[in-house]
């Protein structure tokens, strides 16, 4: 297969590209604008004969048309992905997540190209801590932030293009990923690199918010499974039963890094902060036979900490700018 992977220089996209090139015979073209979140270094060492990086915007219609026309399938990861940024400057989220997705699906329908749209569990809003239900494919959309509302909008565009134009598409909505190559703005890498820098981790509010953690490789294998065996027009939820509250995750990071478990600070909470996400991935498991391979969150987190310890050259160039941006955002919300 010739795959076009949008956003392949980002966190999950780069993990997906490494896995595809290691475990299949497919060739991969990455289309990535290399925004602040994209990193060429995340794609180092890939085989020249099966891999190419094209630096460009998914909203560039002529470029997208040419690349989609030359591919057997598109896997669409590219997005503005960070909730905190979306609360301070929503416009890029509309441009990339809505107009960018529209540009891609128009090209995919013209060329009849198979399309897989990567989305998030955040389109479903949040759950109470004691709610026995988890998100399923039938949960109504109820997004909270500019980020999640633009992802919800992009999902709805894909669904409409399937129904009205026969787009050959599937959609997946996954929970919070962790693993190597994640930008230091995100919760887990931010706290790990803070501890490495001798800075106390920062927990929003009381830290009772729950996220359903999944290793990025488990996400990638689920996407490959859907590409191979998913039914056109269907949505699949991806999750690995990894619910943890934020306080527990920070305390575990501190323990694994040899620090006192209470050596963190509570800071100003995120506006509109979703309380809890939890995924029921029964459909993906029963219909397509996918199973997560990273069952032990503590072991996965320890391996992730080791990765950041060993790859300071990868994250160091972004660290100061990220913390400066957080400081600026905090000043802006006062
Ligand atoms: P990321 O921010 O690490 O990477 C996004 C990538 O997209 C970057 O390489 C960036 O340069 C690129 N990009 C942004 N705008 C672009 C544009 N206009 N044209 C071309 N490239 C552009 O994001 P991530 O965490 O890897 O998330 C990837 C996808 O997975 C997103 O669609 C996100 O909504 C979804 N998702 C993420 C998670 C998570 O936990 N991170 C969970 C579920 C779903
Ligand atoms: O659920 C899937 C989503 O997971 C994806 O769609 C998003 O792209 C991805 O960024 C992630 O969204 P979150 O907002 O859950 O992730 P983030 O890493 O920003 O924060 C995780 C939790 O940690 C959240 O409850 C906020 C909290 N947090 C975050 C940061 C950066 C802190 O307590 N302190 C922090 O410094």
């Amino acid at each position: 297969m010739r795959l076009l992977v949008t956003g392949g220089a980002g966190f999950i996209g780069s993990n997906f590209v490494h896995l595809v090139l290691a475990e299949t015979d497919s060739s991969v073209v990455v289309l990535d604008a290399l925004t602040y979140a994209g990193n060429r270094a995340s794609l180092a060492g890939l085989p020249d004969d099966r891999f190419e990086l094209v630096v460009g915007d998914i909203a560039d219609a002529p470029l997208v048309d040419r690349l989609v026309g030359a591919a057997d399938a598109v896997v669409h990861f590219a997005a503005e992905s960070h909730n905190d940024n979306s609360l301070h400057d929503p416009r890029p989220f509309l441009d990339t997540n809505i107009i960018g997705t529209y540009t891609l699906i128009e090209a995919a329908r013209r060329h009849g190209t198979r399309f897989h749209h990567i989305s998030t569990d955040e389109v479903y809003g949040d759950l109470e801590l004691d709610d026995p239900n988890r998100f399923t494919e039938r949960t109504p959309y109820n997004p909270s932030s500019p980020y999640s509302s633009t992802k919800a909008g992009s999902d709805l565009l894909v669904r409409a293009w399937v129904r009205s134009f026969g787009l050959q598409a599937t959609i997946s909505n996954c929970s919070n990923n962790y693993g190597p190559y994640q930008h230091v703005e995100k919760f887990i890498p931010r706290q790990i690199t803070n501890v490495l820098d001798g800075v106390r981790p920062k927990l929003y509010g009381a830290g009772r918010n729950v996220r359903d953690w999944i290793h990025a490789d488990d996400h990638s294998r689920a996407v490959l499974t859907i590409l191979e065996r998913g039914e056109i027009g269907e949505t699949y939820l991806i999750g690995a039963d990894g619910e943890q509250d934020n306080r527990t995750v920070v305390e575990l990071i501190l323990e694994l890094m040899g620090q006192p478990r209470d050596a963190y600070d509570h800071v100003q909470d995120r506006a509109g902060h979703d309380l809890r996400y939890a995924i029921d991935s029964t459909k993906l498991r029963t219909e397509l036979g996918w199973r997560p391979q990273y069952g032990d969150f503590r072991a996965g987190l320890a391996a992730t900490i080791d990765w950041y310890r060993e790859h300071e050259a990868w994250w160091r160039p972004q660290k100061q700018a990220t913390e400066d941006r957080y400081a600026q955002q905090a000043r802006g919300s006062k």
Side-chain angles (χ1 to χ4, degrees):
M1 265 232 227
R2 293 165 303 168
L3 290 181
L4 176 63
V5 178
T6 72
F11 163 44
I12 307 175
S14 62
N15 278 285
F16 178 77
V17 170
H18 280 280
L19 190 128
V20 165
L21 291 170
E23 298 190 1
T24 77
D25 294 331
S26 293
S27 63
V28 172
V29 173
V30 163
L31 172 59
D32 197 296
L34 297 182
T35 68
Y36 81 94
N39 193 337
R40 210 183 266 279
S42 305
L43 298 167
L46 294 170
D48 284 346
D49 55 334
R50 288 194 296 139
F51 169 72
E52 184 188 356
L53 168 63
V54 176
V55 178
D57 194 319
I58 56 165
D60 177 343
L63 173 65
V64 162
D65 188 72
R66 181 167 64 76
L67 296 176
V68 170
D72 298 313
V74 179
V75 186
H76 173 34
F77 290 96
E80 285 291 336
S81 70
H82 195 38
N83 276 298
D84 291 317
N85 293 344
S86 81
L87 293 162
H88 294 276
D89 184 15
R91 178 61 196 245
F93 290 75
L94 292 148
D95 292 337
T96 290
N97 301 358
I98 302 284
I99 301 298
T101 300
Y102 157 76
T103 307
L104 284 160
I105 56 181
E106 276 292 82
R109 93 159 152 126
R110 270 194 302 277
H111 294 284
T113 308
R114 172 84 171 83
F115 191 86
H116 182 69
H117 178 63
I118 302 290
S119 193
T120 168
D121 59 356
E122 296 194 14
V123 300
Y124 300 114
D126 59 355
L127 298 162
E128 293 298 330
L129 294 178
D130 60 356
D131 191 333
N133 297 308
R134 298 186 290 170
F135 299 140
T136 75
E137 289 77 6
R138 290 172 304 286
T139 304
Y141 275 35
N142 188 25
S144 312
S145 74
Y147 161 67
S148 53
S149 60
T150 57
K151 290 298 292 187
S154 67
D155 292 11
L156 298 181
L157 292 176
V158 174
R159 288 184 183 196
W161 262 239
V162 168
R163 176 161 171 160
S164 299
F165 304 126
L167 183 73
Q168 298 292 293
T170 42
I171 298 176
S172 55
N173 298 79
C174 188
S175 57
N176 286 64
N177 285 223
Y178 72 98
Y181 301 115
Q182 187 168 30
H183 194 279
V184 289
E185 69 188 354
K186 300 297 196 303
F187 179 50
I188 287 179
R190 185 181 188 202
Q191 313 315 337
I192 294 171
T193 53
N194 275 350
V195 175
L196 290 174
D197 276 350
V199 173
R200 287 163 70 91
K202 296 178 169 43
L203 198 56
Y204 291 171
R208 286 164 52 78
N209 308 64
V210 171
R211 296 295 181 264
D212 191 350
W213 293 99
I214 180 173
H215 195 278
D217 281 351
D218 278 335
H219 187 180
S220 292
R221 288 206 169 81
V223 170
L224 273 179
T225 302
I226 297 166
L227 260 185
E228 285 162 11
R229 300 198 287 279
E231 199 174 316
I232 297 303
E234 290 296 311
T235 290
Y236 298 91
L237 263 55
I238 306 174
D241 303 329
E243 283 187 68
Q244 302 280 350
D245 71 31
N246 293 341
R247 199 163 49 189
T248 305
V249 175
V250 162
E251 289 174 358
L252 192 51
I253 290 171
L254 285 162
E255 182 198 318
L256 290 167
M257 297 184 76
Q259 302 293 316
R261 284 175 68 93
D262 61 356
Y264 60 86
D265 294 325
H266 293 275
V267 297
Q268 172 74 41
D269 207 352
R270 174 185 284 172
H273 195 172
D274 280 340
L275 186 54
R276 172 176 164 235
Y277 307 138
I279 291 266
D280 178 348
S281 58
T282 303
K283 177 176 172 182
L284 179 64
R285 294 173 194 236
T286 55
E287 292 186 11
L288 304 187
W290 171 84
R291 293 277 179 287
Q293 296 180 6
Y294 289 78
D296 182 344
F297 180 65
R298 187 188 172 92
L301 192 58
T304 304
I305 291 169
D306 287 345
W307 190 89
Y308 281 90
R309 263 194 224 286
E310 288 157 14
H311 293 81
E312 181 172 346
W314 181 87
W315 59 264
R316 177 60 69 194
Q318 276 91 42
K319 183 66 180 169
Q320 192 57 48
T322 301
E323 292 304 322
D324 289 349
R325 194 175 67 230
Y326 273 122
Q328 191 187 4
Q329 290 175 351
R331 283 194 298 275
S333 37
K334 274 181 193 147

